[in-house]
């Protein structure tokens, strides 16, 4: 078990914390509804129950080494609970991850070996800690009067901790005794697979019992009363609330265990995002760069941008309404999309991620004037393009006195100097966003022809072919 604090919660101060948080959110369920986070709840009594502090969890199976935007939607819901004064518990399914959840799938998942599973668990755990840490920092600049010292520590748990040492007979004698096969067969995730060509294995059929036991364990040992998840998790979540009721007996108050599902991330056209859909946007910057995150959201359709602003940011709803109104008056300016892209990039990668994204954006889509206005440093270019093969680093002495045509060939922008000459004559050769009319022109550091502290030159041929020259000290 790993416990990490996003704020320095002080023992004995929770009543103060709750009153403080209530000044910000009248009720977290109302907040989630207003931001389009609620698909369904197991009982409307949840709204009353969250008026006092509770523990809430959502699970993530380590089927990959990184989280993606689909996971982020659910984590944003959990972040809202945390900022409202509740105990947030992100659960890493290092036990269930070896089984595989059949929900939303047509075929069985490929089993992970122990080495790959361990790698994925480490990656997911680190991202969860980073997400809630950055999420709290991001919230500090968006929610007035938020005091991080009054927030409860976010607790990252692993379900292998309670399955290790639990024998199959013990599991069947406790959990299996309370499970009803008819109910299990009726779940959508099972029915759809039974009707498919591939069917469903007993392993995946039993997955719902494992997730149900996770909820019972957290309910019993961690006083966790709410599980949240994507809408495809409804069957697994209700399996948990049912197991809690059955294992605690008739005297148990069934309303004390709640489930809340969040709509799966889709565009207005119904397109899904995620690993299964093949278009995942990863939270790991080595798999999806801050620039790519920014570009994904800046291209959001007008029909999606308001909903995404509510779900992926912590901007106050009146501020979002104002932005949407401004955007409606000048949609060609993409005010809402640019704000959305900036906010999400900061939430995921921090302010430095925004700087990297803006640097790359201006390099690829800006001009000389915008590059100079932003005053990007040499380090900014290094950070924005450190994993990008389009940036070529060479000793400054090796390019002194070379023409732009020579440099274009060196960078691979042109195959030959004659090609560079033809492009220049046709207006298709650019240096730092400005058209080059003479391919024999020699860029000079002394004359200010390089950006990024005089170390970077950007060659563009045509509309989209970019190369960056980074000068290194000889």
């Amino acid at each position: 078990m790993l416990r990490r604090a996003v704020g320095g919660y002080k023992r004995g101060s929770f009543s103060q914390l709750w009153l403080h948080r209530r000044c910000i959110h009248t009720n977290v369920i109302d907040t989630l509804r207003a931001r389009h986070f609620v698909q369904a709840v197991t009982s409307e009594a949840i709204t009353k129950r969250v008026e006092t502090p509770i523990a809430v969890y959502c699970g993530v199976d380590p089927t990959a080494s990184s989280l993606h935007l689909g996971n982020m939607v659910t984590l944003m819901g959990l972040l809202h609970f945390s900022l409202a004064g509740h105990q947030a518990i992100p659960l890493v399914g290092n036990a269930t991850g070896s089984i595989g959840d059949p929900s939303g799938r047509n075929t069985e998942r490929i089993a992970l070996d122990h080495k790959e599973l361990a790698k994925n668990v480490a990656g997911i755990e680190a991202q969860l800690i980073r997400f809630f840490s950055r999420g709290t920092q991001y919230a500090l600049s968006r929610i007035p009067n938020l005091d991080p010292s009054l927030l409860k520590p976010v607790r990252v748990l692993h379900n292998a901790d309670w399955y290790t040492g639990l024998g199959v007979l013990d599991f069947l004698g406790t959990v299996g005794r309370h499970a009803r096969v008819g109910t299990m067969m009726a779940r959508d995730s099972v029915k759809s697979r039974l009707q498919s060509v591939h069917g469903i294995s007993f392993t995946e059929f039993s997955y719902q019992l494992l997730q149900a036991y996770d909820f019972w364990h957290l309910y019993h040992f961690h006083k966790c009363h709410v599980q949240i998840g994507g809408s495809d998790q409804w069957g697994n979540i209700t399996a948990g609330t049912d197991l809690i009721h059955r294992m605690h007996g008739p005297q148990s108050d069934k309303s004390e265990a709640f489930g809340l599902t969040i709509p799966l991330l889709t565009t207005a056209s119904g397109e899904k995002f995620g690993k299964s859909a093949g278009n995942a946007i990863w939270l790991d910057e080595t798999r999806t760069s801050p620039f790519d995150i920014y570009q994904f959201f800046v291209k959001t359709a007008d029909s999606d941008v308001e909903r995404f602003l509510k779900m992926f940011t912590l901007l106050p709803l009146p501020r979002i309404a104002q932005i949407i109104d401004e955007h409606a008056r000048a949609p060609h300016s993409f005010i809402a999309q640019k704000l959305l892209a900036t906010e999400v990039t900061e939430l995921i990668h921090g302010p430095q991620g925004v700087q990297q994204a803006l640097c790359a954006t201006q390099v690829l889509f800006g001009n000389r004037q915008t590059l100079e206005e932003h005053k990007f440093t040499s380090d900014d270019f290094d950070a924005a393009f450190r994993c990008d093969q389009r940036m070529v680093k060479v000793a400054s002495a090796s390019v002194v006195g070379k023409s732009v045509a020579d440099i274009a060939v060196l960078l691979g922008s042109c195959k030959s100097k004659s090609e560079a000459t033809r492009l220049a004559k046709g207006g298709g050769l650019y240096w730092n966003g400005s058209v080059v009319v003479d391919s024999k022109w020699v860029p000079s550091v002394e004359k200010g022809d390089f950006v990024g502290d005089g170390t970077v030159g950007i060659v563009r041929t045509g509309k989209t072919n970019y190369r960056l020259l980074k000068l290194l000290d000889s």
Side-chain angles (χ1 to χ4, degrees):
M1 181 180 72
L2 176 66
R3 303 183 65 175
R4 294 293 179 93
V6 288
Y9 170 65
K10 300 176 181 178
R11 187 179 299 275
S13 66
F14 197 82
S15 60
Q16 179 186 2
L17 170 135
W18 189 251
L19 291 174
H20 176 82
R21 300 304 319 133
R22 294 276 290 165
C23 294
I24 296 174
H25 296 312
T26 56
N27 186 292
V28 67
I29 300 299
D30 292 337
T31 297
L32 293 176
R33 289 188 191 279
R35 289 180 176 267
H36 308 295
F37 277 99
V38 180
Q39 177 86 13
V41 293
T42 54
S43 170
E44 290 297 333
I46 188 175
T47 305
K48 179 69 174 178
R49 182 62 183 86
V50 300
E51 290 182 353
T52 54
I54 56 172
V56 186
Y57 99 95
C58 73
V60 180
D61 276 350
T63 55
S65 61
S66 173
L67 300 167
H68 54 78
L69 283 187
N71 302 126
M72 184 178 168
V73 175
T74 306
L75 293 177
M76 285 298 294
L78 194 61
L79 180 61
H80 278 288
F81 273 100
S82 177
L83 296 173
H86 300 288
Q87 172 69 71
I89 303 176
L91 177 66
V92 181
N94 52 339
T96 47
S98 63
I99 301 297
D101 183 1
S103 301
R105 294 185 61 87
N106 297 321
T107 59
E108 188 165 353
R109 295 181 186 274
I110 298 174
L112 302 175
D113 60 40
H114 292 296
K115 183 177 180 180
E116 185 176 7
L117 183 62
K119 175 185 176 183
N120 291 353
V121 168
I124 295 297
E125 180 181 332
Q127 283 191 343
L128 287 170
I129 294 170
R130 187 162 56 246
F131 174 81
F132 284 97
S133 176
R134 284 179 175 166
T136 301
Q137 293 301 313
Y138 169 79
L140 286 171
S141 61
R142 304 307 189 277
I143 302 176
N145 304 317
L146 177 61
D147 185 351
S149 67
L150 297 178
L151 299 181
K152 300 193 76 174
V154 171
R155 303 173 65 189
V156 181
L157 303 181
H158 305 80
N159 62 7
D161 290 347
W162 48 85
Y163 285 110
T164 301
L166 178 64
V168 63
L169 294 180
D170 290 333
F171 185 79
L172 291 175
T174 53
V175 179
R177 188 180 305 280
H178 296 287
R180 294 296 175 263
V181 174
T183 303
M184 294 175 66
M185 296 276 288
R187 305 218 185 274
D188 290 339
S189 60
V190 173
K191 286 196 300 183
S192 62
R193 288 288 294 278
L194 287 173
Q195 296 167 2
S196 70
V197 175
H198 301 283
I200 186 171
S201 68
F202 179 75
T203 300
E204 286 196 324
F205 176 68
S206 303
Y207 182 92
Q208 57 185 289
L209 295 183
L210 299 175
Q211 187 165 328
Y213 184 71
D214 286 343
F215 198 177
W216 177 85
H217 182 93
L218 293 172
Y219 177 91
H220 187 73
F221 292 102
H222 297 276
K223 309 302 180 185
C224 179
H225 290 265
V226 177
Q227 178 184 178
I228 66 174
S231 58
D232 60 345
Q233 293 297 305
W234 178 257
N236 294 335
I237 291 174
T238 55
T241 57
D242 184 59
L243 180 65
I244 290 169
H245 176 59
R246 290 177 181 274
M247 290 186 68
H248 281 265
Q251 73 277 10
S252 173
D253 183 358
K254 187 176 181 179
S255 67
E256 280 298 291
F258 302 93
L260 181 153
T261 57
I262 297 172
L264 297 179
L265 179 61
T266 62
T267 65
S269 62
E271 182 183 9
K272 294 182 179 180
F273 297 98
K275 299 191 301 297
S276 300
N279 57 354
I281 303 296
W282 304 98
L283 304 194
D284 183 345
E285 65 179 7
T286 64
R287 301 181 71 168
T288 302
S289 69
F291 165 73
D292 289 323
I293 289 280
Y294 182 92
Q295 286 301 312
F296 173 81
F297 280 101
V298 87
K299 296 174 183 176
T300 300
D302 287 346
S303 54
D304 291 318
V305 70
E306 181 176 7
R307 178 166 57 95
F308 284 7
L309 277 167
K310 291 178 179 179
M311 297 186 74
F312 286 105
T313 82
L314 296 177
L315 293 171
L317 294 180
R319 172 62 175 153
I320 292 176
Q322 177 188 0
I323 289 296
I324 294 301
D325 183 59
E326 293 177 10
H327 175 73
R329 292 197 298 268
H332 59 280
S333 298
F334 299 102
I335 298 172
Q337 283 89 344
K338 290 177 181 177
L339 177 63
L340 171 66
T342 300
E343 293 288 314
V344 179
T345 304
E346 180 176 343
L347 176 57
I348 297 174
H349 295 299
Q352 69 278 10
V354 175
Q355 184 73 352
Q356 292 173 26
L358 290 178
C359 178
T361 297
Q362 292 304 320
V363 166
L364 300 179
F365 305 110
N367 52 41
R368 179 61 183 256
Q369 181 180 351
T370 56
L371 282 171
E372 292 177 346
E373 288 174 352
H374 281 84
K375 300 185 184 303
F376 295 117
T377 66
S378 176
D379 289 341
D380 289 333
F381 282 97
D382 278 337
F385 292 94
R386 67 173 178 270
C387 299
D388 197 319
Q389 295 182 349
R390 289 174 296 186
M391 185 164 73
V392 179
K393 298 182 178 182
V394 299
S396 58
S398 65
V399 296
V400 172
K402 288 189 178 294
S403 69
V404 68
D406 292 322
I407 294 174
V409 174
L410 174 66
L411 297 179
S413 299
C414 297
K415 295 180 180 179
S416 64
K417 292 173 63 175
S418 59
E419 181 185 356
T421 300
R422 288 195 302 270
L423 284 171
K425 289 180 178 180
L429 182 62
Y430 296 80
W431 176 268
N432 290 346
S434 299
V435 176
V436 176
V437 295
D438 182 4
S439 62
K440 296 181 180 180
W441 172 70
V442 177
S444 168
V445 173
E446 290 75 16
K447 294 180 180 179
D449 296 325
F450 287 78
V451 294
D453 303 325
T455 64
V456 177
I458 306 160
V459 173
R460 173 162 69 91
T461 55
K463 293 183 178 180
T464 59
N465 184 19
Y466 291 84
R467 293 291 189 276
L468 283 78
L469 172 69
K470 178 65 186 296
L471 300 181
L472 302 177
D473 292 336
S474 302

